[in-house]
């Protein structure tokens, strides 16, 4: 199986805003997963991402189902019963009353409801090879949402309005895995290492595992975007490699022996030694059998499939109908992959090759004649059905329509 993943757009411009004045190479070599980095000066692109007026509009006019909003105050979460109705729907008046009383308004995963934030996240996903999310925090003057803590994922903080007094403490011993959240009164935070004010238009990178606190600064409410980088680790890759290799190692299918759990007598000591020998033998078999290419292909395909779709304009194009000369461009920041994989021809004498294009939510098979032409045209960023030389025009029309429906192509 071969995989080619690509995307168009100016993803580097988005990252450049977050890491200025560092280059991409400097950031990944010196800061990523290592140390805090702060940008200085107002970046004008921040003003286009979010505003206090947009938050006011969301709270007053948009649908607010359960879990679309939460609140925190003085380092503790505010019980949902204090700002929701009995059915879980958010009580807008209670939200604003709690805000007036010093509680932070939190809008989790707002990128799913806001096109600009979603496009921003898609651009960063290309840069990090990881899912990206946003949480929005609006903190009233003189308040703080959370106490000293660290996150289990790397974050960029984009200060939109007001200011925050950031306090940077120590690092956890080893980067945390997903789910290894900070435990108050248990995990050490270390000594205060740095303190500074993050002003509107400035950005901050905080690695996972670095303890911090950020109370409001000044007399205005603070509005900031926390951009979470949900990386996948080598541990997850190795687990997938073991799972993939296990399909070709029959001994891994055997059940664990009773002696693995019960060793109440010296007579069973030999069983423990035998089990360890089996363990070592299987480890060697896994090392010899595991396929880097197959594991990488699985990770790549899953990453592409799990990316959210963008379909603005697709409904109008499909309702109108697609003519041979209608030209489409590849939508910015959308990931896709062309894959080829051997498949049995059914008679046991050989293998055929299956060609597919994988994108968010779908895996689309196509003929060997169409696949290389489509890959070339998509790589160029623009196409029309009239550009192709194919025998099966019905297949071409169906594939182009499907790519429009799933958001890879836009009018």
């Amino acid at each position: 199986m071969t995989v080619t993943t690509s995307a168009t757009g100016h993803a580097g411009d988005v990252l450049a805003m977050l890491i200025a004045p560092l280059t991409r190479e400097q950031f990944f070599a010196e800061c990523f997963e290592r140390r805090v980095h702060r940008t200085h000066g107002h970046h004008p692109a921040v003003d286009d991402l979010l505003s206090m007026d947009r938050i006011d509009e969301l709270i007053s006019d948009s649908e607010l189902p359960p879990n679309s909003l939460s609140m925190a105050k003085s380092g503790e979460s505010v019980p949902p019963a204090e700002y929701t109705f009995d059915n879980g729907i958010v009580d807008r008046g209670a939200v604003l009353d709690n805000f007036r009383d010093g509680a932070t308004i939190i809008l989790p995963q707002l990128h799913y409801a806001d096109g600009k934030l979603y496009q921003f996240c898609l651009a960063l996903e290309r840069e990090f090879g990881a899912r990206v999310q946003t949480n929005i925090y609006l903190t009233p003057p003189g308040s703080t949402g959370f106490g000293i803590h660290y996150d289990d994922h790397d974050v960029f903080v984009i200060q939109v309005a007001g200011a925050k007094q950031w306090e940077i403490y120590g690092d956890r011993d080893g980067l945390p895995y997903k789910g290894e959240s900070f435990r108050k009164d248990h995990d050490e935070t270390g000594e205060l290492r740095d303190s500074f004010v993050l002003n509107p238009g400035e950005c901050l990178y905080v690695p996972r595992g670095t303890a911090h606190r950020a109370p409001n600064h000044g007399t205005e409410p603070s509005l900031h975007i926390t951009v979470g980088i949900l990386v996948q680790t080598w541990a997850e890759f190795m687990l997938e490699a073991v799972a993939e290799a296990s399909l070709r190692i029959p001994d891994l299918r055997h059940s664990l022996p009773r002696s693995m759990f019960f060793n109440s007598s010296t007579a069973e000591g030999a069983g423990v030694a035998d089990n360890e020998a089996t363990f070592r033998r299987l480890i060697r078999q896994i090392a010899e059998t595991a396929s880097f290419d197959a594991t990488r292909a699985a990770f790549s395909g899953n990453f592409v499939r799990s990316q959210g779709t963008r379909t603005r304009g697709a409904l109008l194009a499909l309702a109108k109908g697609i003519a041979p000369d209608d030209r489409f461009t590849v939508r910015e920041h959308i990931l896709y992959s062309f894959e080829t994989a051997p498949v049995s021809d059914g008679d046991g004498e050989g293998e055929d090759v299956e060609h597919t294009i994988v994108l968010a939510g779908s895996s689309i098979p196509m003929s060997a004649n169409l696949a290389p032409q489509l890959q070339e045209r998509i790589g160029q960023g623009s196409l029309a059905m009239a550009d192709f030389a194919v025998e099966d025009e019905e297949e071409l029309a169906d594939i182009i329509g499907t790519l429009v429906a799933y958001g890879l192509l836009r009018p």
Side-chain angles (χ1 to χ4, degrees):
M1 176 182 291
T2 59
V3 180
T4 303
T5 303
S6 184
T8 62
H10 303 288
D13 294 343
V14 174
L15 181 62
M17 178 188 81
L18 298 174
I19 64 175
L22 300 179
T23 65
R24 183 184 189 280
E25 292 71 25
Q26 287 174 322
F27 172 77
F28 281 103
E30 301 170 9
C31 296
F32 185 58
E33 299 184 326
R34 292 176 177 83
R35 64 175 177 85
V36 170
H37 173 71
R38 175 191 174 197
T39 69
H40 293 273
H42 184 277
H43 200 294
V46 170
D47 299 333
D48 191 48
L49 272 179
L50 196 63
S51 67
M52 289 287 292
D53 185 65
R54 175 66 173 143
I55 298 300
D56 181 57
E57 177 187 20
L58 286 166
I59 294 175
S60 63
D61 297 334
S62 66
E63 181 183 4
L64 293 173
N67 303 319
S68 63
L69 183 149
S70 62
M71 305 194 78
K73 182 179 179 181
S74 301
E76 302 289 344
S77 296
V78 176
E82 294 191 18
Y83 56 87
T84 62
F85 296 110
D86 291 341
N87 61 2
I89 300 297
V90 173
D91 182 347
R92 304 170 199 272
V95 167
L96 297 179
D97 204 31
N98 274 283
F99 174 76
R100 183 179 64 86
D101 195 37
T104 292
I105 298 173
I106 305 168
L107 297 169
Q109 309 288 310
L110 186 60
H111 57 290
Y112 287 127
D114 187 279
K116 287 182 179 180
L117 290 176
Y118 195 55
Q119 188 77 353
F120 180 84
C121 289
L122 292 183
L124 285 178
E125 287 183 351
R126 175 66 176 170
E127 289 294 321
F128 284 90
R131 291 277 82 88
V132 176
Q133 67 180 21
T134 64
N135 292 327
I136 311 303
Y137 298 85
L138 177 61
T139 304
S143 299
T144 182
F146 296 100
I148 303 174
H149 69 285
Y150 60 72
D151 297 304
D152 65 359
H153 55 276
D154 297 78
V155 300
F156 286 97
V157 175
I158 305 173
Q159 191 69 33
V160 177
K164 279 286 186 76
Q165 178 72 47
W166 275 82
E167 300 169 356
I168 304 299
Y169 293 85
D171 296 323
R172 182 185 185 276
D173 185 17
L175 295 170
Y177 285 117
K178 278 183 265 188
E180 284 191 296
S181 301
F182 179 79
R183 295 165 296 176
K184 188 177 179 181
D185 301 326
H186 183 277
D187 292 322
E188 295 291 334
T189 61
E191 299 296 325
L192 178 65
R193 297 190 318 204
D194 198 6
S195 179
F196 52 84
V197 175
L198 197 68
N199 292 303
E202 296 182 332
C203 306
L204 178 70
Y205 166 71
V206 183
R208 60 191 186 275
T210 297
H212 56 273
R213 188 175 81 102
N216 199 327
H217 177 83
T219 59
E220 298 180 7
S222 164
L223 174 63
H224 79 262
I225 306 167
T226 293
V227 182
I229 312 297
L230 310 180
V231 300
Q232 297 184 87
T233 64
W234 276 105
E236 293 166 278
F237 190 89
M238 299 306 290
L239 289 171
E240 179 65 29
V242 171
E244 192 278 330
S246 70
L247 300 176
R248 300 186 300 281
I249 304 176
D251 284 354
L252 284 172
R253 301 169 186 260
H254 291 295
S255 60
L256 291 173
R258 176 181 181 278
S259 56
M260 184 70 76
F261 311 105
F262 304 104
N263 184 26
S264 57
S265 68
T266 56
E268 292 180 333
V272 173
D274 290 342
N275 290 335
E276 183 176 359
T278 299
F279 172 77
R280 300 296 177 192
R281 175 174 58 81
L282 290 173
I283 287 291
R284 290 193 295 272
Q285 282 187 265
I286 291 169
E288 294 167 357
T289 307
S291 168
F292 173 79
D293 288 338
T295 306
R296 178 183 176 276
F299 260 66
S300 174
N302 291 337
F303 179 58
V304 170
R305 288 184 188 91
S306 65
Q307 186 184 57
T309 54
R310 297 295 292 164
T311 60
R312 183 65 180 268
L315 177 63
L316 298 178
L318 295 173
K320 169 179 170 287
I322 300 174
D325 291 326
D326 288 344
R327 186 153 296 276
F328 295 87
T329 57
V330 179
R331 198 180 297 269
E332 286 186 344
H333 313 314
I334 299 299
L335 301 178
Y336 63 88
S337 66
F338 281 91
E339 301 183 0
T340 60
V343 293
S344 174
D345 61 6
D347 60 11
E349 295 182 358
E351 291 184 330
D352 291 330
V353 175
E354 180 182 57
H355 300 267
T356 59
I357 179 172
V358 176
L359 62 155
S362 184
S363 181
I364 306 164
M366 69 193 77
S367 65
N369 174 250
L370 176 57
Q373 295 185 63
L374 186 64
Q375 184 168 0
E376 179 182 3
R377 295 296 179 182
I378 288 180
Q380 292 171 351
S382 172
L383 61 84
M385 286 195 292
D387 297 337
F388 294 81
V390 296
E391 296 179 359
D392 191 341
E393 294 185 357
E394 185 176 343
E395 180 203 18
L396 173 62
D398 183 60
I399 293 292
I400 297 301
T402 302
L403 296 181
V404 171
Y406 280 90
L408 179 62
L409 300 179
R410 64 182 178 90

